[in-house]
């Protein structure tokens, strides 16, 4: 079965960088795109970015452009999301999610989330 | 910056039918936005319900259906059950970018 296992919760200081991993199993890693989304406490979901593990194509949310980078390592079937120059506004649960088999099937399978707290 | 708008909250009685909608600030939502819908219970990761406007995943209960309605994407729950109380999010595709709606808190009373 499809599984996405995310790295553990983190506490960061303002100005620091964050890198979260998402290890995939149960399917051919390079075949499906992976998105990242986050959810601040008591708030809605915010899409952050997407990567095609096969070609390396990426897309990012406009408001995070320049501060976020998503990458993949096919040798370990792992996706990574790096977010730089953190502030308290980046405190959130971060999720990775795998797309389905076509353009229209988005974020079909989700990881359990990684809680990131940014505090001085 | 594209904004996707949903009803903040809706209340429905068990057994009734309710429709949640999803509008885009850019204009009418079309099939080309490939509307997807997700359900989220408190403290849990979201769960995909509907993709490509109308299609259900293998785990999606039959009482959930998706459509386009009056220039918006819509999620209809027919015969609502108490366990359907949750937050529901739509997501629209704008090229390779994706935008979530603000979510609808569905209360079943």
């Amino acid at each position: 079965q499809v599984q996405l296992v995310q790295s553990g919760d983190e506490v960061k200081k303002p100005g620091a960088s964050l890198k979260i991993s998402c290890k995939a199993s149960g399917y051919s890693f390079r075949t499906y795109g992976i998105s990242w989304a986050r959810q601040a406490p008591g708030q809605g979901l915010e899409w952050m970015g997407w990567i095609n593990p096969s070609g390396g194509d990426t897309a990012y949310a406009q408001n995070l452009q320049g501060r976020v980078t998503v990458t993949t390592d096919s040798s370990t079937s792992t996706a990574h999301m790096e977010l730089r120059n953190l502030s308290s506004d980046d405190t959130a649960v971060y999720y990775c999610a795998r797309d389905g088999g076509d353009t229209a099937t988005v974020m079909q399978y989700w990881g359990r989330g990684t809680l990131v707290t940014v505090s001085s | 910056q594209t904004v996707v708008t949903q009803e903040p909250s809706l209340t429905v009685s068990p057994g009734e039918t309710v429709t949640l909608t999803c509008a885009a600030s850019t204009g009418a939502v079309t099939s080309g936005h490939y509307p997807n819908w997700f359900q989220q219970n408190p403290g849990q990761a979201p769960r995909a319900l509907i993709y490509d406007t109308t299609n259900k995943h293998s785990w999606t209960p039959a009482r959930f259906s998706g459509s386009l309605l009056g220039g918006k994407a819509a999620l209809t729950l027919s015969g609502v059950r108490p366990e359907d109380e949750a937050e529901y999010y739509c997501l629209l595709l704008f090229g390779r970018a994706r935008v979530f709606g603000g979510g609808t808190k569905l209360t079943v009373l």
Side-chain angles (χ1 to χ4, degrees), chain B residues 19-108:
Chain B
T19 297
L20 290 63
T21 67
C22 174
S25 61
T26 54
V29 175
T30 71
S31 59
H33 291 105
Y34 304 109
N36 281 248
W37 290 90
F38 303 86
Q39 178 190 60
Q40 187 179 32
N41 289 303
Q44 296 185 17
R47 178 176 77 140
L49 287 177
I50 299 288
Y51 64 96
D52 196 9
T53 309
T54 61
N55 295 292
K56 299 174 190 177
H57 293 287
S58 59
W59 52 79
T60 303
R63 61 185 181 276
F64 289 85
S65 63
S67 64
L68 292 176
L69 196 64
K72 300 179 183 181
L75 175 70
T76 298
L77 287 70
S78 304
V80 172
R81 297 185 179 185
E83 60 263 34
D84 297 332
E85 181 164 298
E87 193 84 24
Y88 291 85
Y89 293 92
C90 68
L91 180 145
L92 302 178
L93 276 67
F94 297 87
R96 289 190 303 184
R98 296 141 185 220
V99 182
F100 280 105
T104 295
K105 169 62 178 170
L106 183 67
T107 301
V108 182

Side-chain angles (χ1 to χ4, degrees), chain A residues 17 49 66 73 75 90 92:
Chain A
S17 293
D73 181 347
S75 69
D90 296 313

Side-chain angles (χ1 to χ4, degrees), chain A:
Chain A
Q1 72 281 22
V2 175
Q3 284 196 331
L4 300 170
V5 178
Q6 298 185 219
S7 48
D9 297 347
E10 303 211 40
V11 178
K12 294 290 187 180
K13 293 201 181 298
S17 293
L18 167 72
K19 191 168 187 177
I20 299 174
S21 65
C22 171
K23 184 169 177 57
S25 62
Y27 71 96
S28 176
F29 180 72
R30 291 169 62 89
T31 302
Y32 301 91
I34 289 184
S35 273
W36 290 86
R38 68 180 179 178
Q39 187 168 37
Q43 302 301 309
L45 295 167
E46 177 187 14
W47 178 78
M48 301 178 66
W50 166 89
I51 187 167
N52 175 357
S54 178
D57 298 346
T58 56
Y60 298 109
Q62 199 170 4
N63 65 320
L64 293 173
Q65 194 91 26
R67 209 161 62 91
V68 64
T69 302
V70 295
T71 58
T72 57
D73 181 347
S74 294
S75 69
T76 59
S77 298
T78 302
H80 300 274
M81 186 283 297
E82 181 180 22
L83 186 62
R84 298 172 290 278
N85 193 22
L86 295 170
S87 73
S88 58
D89 291 342
D90 296 313
T91 294
V93 177
Y94 289 75
Y95 295 101
C96 64
R98 197 210 82 174
D99 289 347
D102 54 51
T103 302
T105 312
V106 171
M107 304 181 81
Q108 183 177 7
Y109 297 96
W110 290 67
R112 291 193 173 186
T114 296
L115 174 62
V116 174
T117 303
V118 181
S119 174
S120 55

